[in-house]
Structure formats: structure tokens, C-alpha cells
Amino acid sequence: MDNVLPISWSDIDGPKLSAINLELTAKCNEKCSFCPNPLPDFRAKGDIALNLIEKMTEELSQDISIAVCGIGEPSLHPRFEEAIQILNGHFRRISVVTNGCLFRNEKLSNSVLLKNVNKINVSIDYVDPKQYLAVKQAKLDKILSYLDGYINIANDSEYSPMLQINFLYDSIKGADEYIKAYEYFSKKIKKDNWCIYIRKIKNWAEQVSIKEESDEELLDHLFKDYIGANFVVENWNRYLRNTNWISDQEKPNTCRHIYKYYMLLWNGDVVPCCIDAKGTMPVGNANAKGFNFNDIFFSAEYVELRKQIDQRNFKLYPLCGRCNDFYKHP
């Protein structure tokens, strides 16, 4: 391993905990074919205990960013509103990822609208109702009606979070369908704190068998006239090519995730990254005696993981070796 390149863009002085992905529940009301959750070998499903969330507020800085996400639909947690209220009482930056059913009633919508949630990511994913039904086993018109209801409330609210509406890129559908989606929401949303976000589907480090979009140039050309504040396209390969901080000969040899954050699963397991959806690489468990949410980021287990990944030794961490998010900018 003598030829390992120096870390190009991680914190050179060492890891710095800046964010935590918080899985409220592993339960989901959709069975998306591109997600590990419906697979028969997925881990047990349940809901996080509120005492763990309260413990987070006692041990972590209020400046830590909390992303309420995970592999389930967070609003299915039976005490979702209480969980948001606890987080809101301490942390300054909170985001929530939902498949849209969060907005199924006004009470749930207000739990994020009237609290200091900074951003909501809504994963609609598909523009075609037939494709939506086939892939997600749910009805697009129902989700859109939920979202419309939330938008109407947010339009008249003094405060509303940033709204990011996610779609998966599919070159077969072409750019026109995504532009129509953009125009649909442009007419409905009165405020400017929103965007359509187009991203490529991922195979979760080969945990899911799906066809990934490979034509990067097509992705560029289709959206070049529309990319802006309210229309965003994620194309990391393009970003790496066009960024001055790295040359073609020197690629970053480590992962941004393990130097910035970790993920807390509903059962208390701490894993380095959301790609580890099945919880195969735990570095600790929040229910263990003596556990501390700060200390786990600097534990012997996590230090050893960083060391091995920095040396590109993936024997113990095969997911990292197969991950196609490995070279993202911090």
C-alpha cells in the first residue's frame, strides 16, 4: 500500500462529525424494485425508540445536521410528530426525506411545516403513472394529491421548508417529461424555495439489480438549457471532470462519508453510510452501555474502517469496494 495517494479532499487533520442520518423506521408502504427494503434478505423492521432521539439531543452539538431518512418512510413511525418535536427543540438544521405519504393529512404536514425543519426531500422518482405503479407498487396520482395539499398549506404559511422534488433520470422518457413536471410544480408553488432534482438511479453497491443510466453526455445535453435554481441535475462524473481541485491522474482515494457523518438505524446500530442499508458494517450500537453519540465517530472500530478504506483495502468492507458514490466531492 505504499503507492496510496494522499487524501485529496477529506479533512486532512482528521474526521469531523457534521451530520447524522437518522432512520426513524425501516417500515415502508411502497415496494420499490430499485430499493433493498423489499428484498427477502433485508434486516428486521421496526421503529426507533424516542429515548435514543432524546439522548442525541443531550450528547450532540446543536450544529450537527440531522437528516431524517433511512430505508423506510419516516412518517410511518407511530410517534413521528413527537420525534420531529424533540429534534426541533435542539438541532438547528433538520431535513426529512419522504416518498410523499408524509403529506397524507394536514396534521402530519404541519408537523414539519410548523416546526423548524429546513428541507423536505420528496422522492416521486417517476413521471409516468404506469411506470410508477409498476416499479413502486403505488399510485402516482394519490401521492401528487398529497403533495398538492401540502403545497397549498405551505403557500399560505409564514414559514415553509425548502422543498426538493426528486426524480430518477430515465433517458427513454426524454427531457420533455421532466420539463412538464417542472412546469406543473412551477404553477402550483408560490414561493421560490423549491427545486426539481434529477438524479441517476443507483444500484446500492450492487445490492439491487437495476440498469443504470450510462450516457453522461446525453444527461448533460438534455438539461443544459434548463438547469437553474429550480431545476437541478445531479451528474457527479461531469462534476469531477470539470472541477479544478483534482486532475485526471489523481483521484481521491477515500470516501467523503466516513469523514463527515454516520447513520443511526432504528435498532440503534451505527453504520458508516446509507449505502449499508442492510446494516452489515456496524461500528457500534446506541443501546450499548457507555455509548456516546460523539465518541462513536472516533471509536477504534470507526478509526480502523477509515484506515482500511483510505488504503483501498476492501476485504472487510466489500460494499465500499463496489460503491459507485465513492468519488463524490465533500
Side-chain angles (χ1 to χ4, degrees), residues 109-124:
S109 292
N110 282 332
S111 67
V112 292
L113 184 66
L114 302 181
K115 303 298 180 184
N116 191 24
V117 170
N118 305 92
K119 184 177 182 180
I120 301 176
N121 288 279
V122 186
S123 297
I124 293 182

Side-chain angles (χ1 to χ4, degrees), residues 153-177:
I153 297 172
N155 281 339
D156 296 329
S157 176
E158 182 179 349
Y159 169 82
S160 60
M162 171 70 185
L163 180 65
Q164 178 176 305
I165 305 168
N166 298 324
F167 287 97
L168 293 171
Y169 174 68
D170 183 350
S171 60
I172 296 175
K173 297 301 176 185
D176 288 346
E177 292 301 313

